[in-house]
């Protein structure tokens, strides 16, 4: 976590096998607390997609290190990622998807039915159906 630039509390790590979520699982488990909603600064950080991604990568690296599996950095896009990027680019270039006032497309957010209806309507207009 520290290597990823994530603040680590000075509270020591607690090993307590009697914790319910650890005791009542059949799989190997670890309990991670990445922040508390009662702490405004931590809650604000947890609201940021890039911070959550940083946490996820740090946790994945820690788990792999524990298991003795090397972390492999990759810059290659999967077919799915390339297709998703092409789809977003096409929708944006054709005025179908515009994002919020700041231009954020909010791609990490779920799509509402209203947003879906607007996307469908804009595509139908573009194709001359409306």
């Amino acid at each position: 976590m520290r290597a990823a630039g994530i603040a680590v509390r000075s509270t020591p790590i607690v090993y307590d096998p009697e914790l319910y979520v650890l005791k009542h699982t059949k799989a190997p488990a670890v309990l991670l607390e990445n922040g508390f909603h009662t702490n405004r600064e931590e809650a604000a950080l947890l609201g940021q997609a890039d911070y959550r991604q940083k946490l996820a990568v740090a946790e994945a690296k820690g788990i792999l290190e524990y298991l003795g599996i090397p972390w492999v950095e990759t810059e290659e896009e999967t077919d799915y990622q390339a297709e998703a990027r092409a789809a977003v680019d096409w929708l944006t270039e054709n005025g179908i998807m515009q994002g919020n006032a700041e231009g954020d497309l909010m791609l990490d957010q779920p799509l509402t039915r209203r947003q879906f209806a607007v996307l469908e309507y804009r595509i139908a207009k573009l194709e001359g159906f409306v």
Side-chain angles (χ1 to χ4, degrees), residues 4-104:
I6 298 167
V8 178
R9 290 181 178 266
S10 59
T11 307
I13 294 172
V14 176
Y15 173 72
D16 186 353
E18 294 300 311
L19 288 172
Y20 188 90
V21 295
L22 298 177
K23 185 177 181 180
H24 297 280
T25 182
K26 294 182 189 326
V30 63
L31 177 62
L32 301 171
E33 293 177 330
N34 293 319
F36 299 92
H37 69 277
T38 53
N39 180 310
R40 288 183 186 194
E41 291 175 13
E42 291 176 357
L45 284 171
L46 291 170
Q48 300 172 12
D50 59 331
Y51 183 75
R52 291 191 309 271
Q53 179 65 24
K54 190 187 283 190
L55 284 172
V57 168
E59 290 171 5
K61 285 180 176 181
I63 292 167
L64 289 174
E65 182 179 322
Y66 177 81
L67 295 172
I69 300 170
W71 174 264
V72 178
E73 290 286 346
T74 178
E75 295 290 324
E76 294 179 28
E77 260 189 339
T78 64
D79 289 342
Y80 171 77
Q81 290 169 318
E83 183 179 41
R85 187 175 315 286
V88 168
D89 290 346
W90 184 85
L91 290 166
T92 305
E93 289 165 8
N94 286 284
I96 295 167
M97 195 162 60
Q98 298 166 348
N100 63 19
E102 291 81 39
D104 182 5

Side-chain angles (χ1 to χ4, degrees), residues 111-121:
L111 187 66
T112 66
R113 287 186 287 197
R114 178 175 289 190
Q115 290 168 325
F116 177 75
V118 169
L119 288 172
E120 289 291 323
Y121 178 75

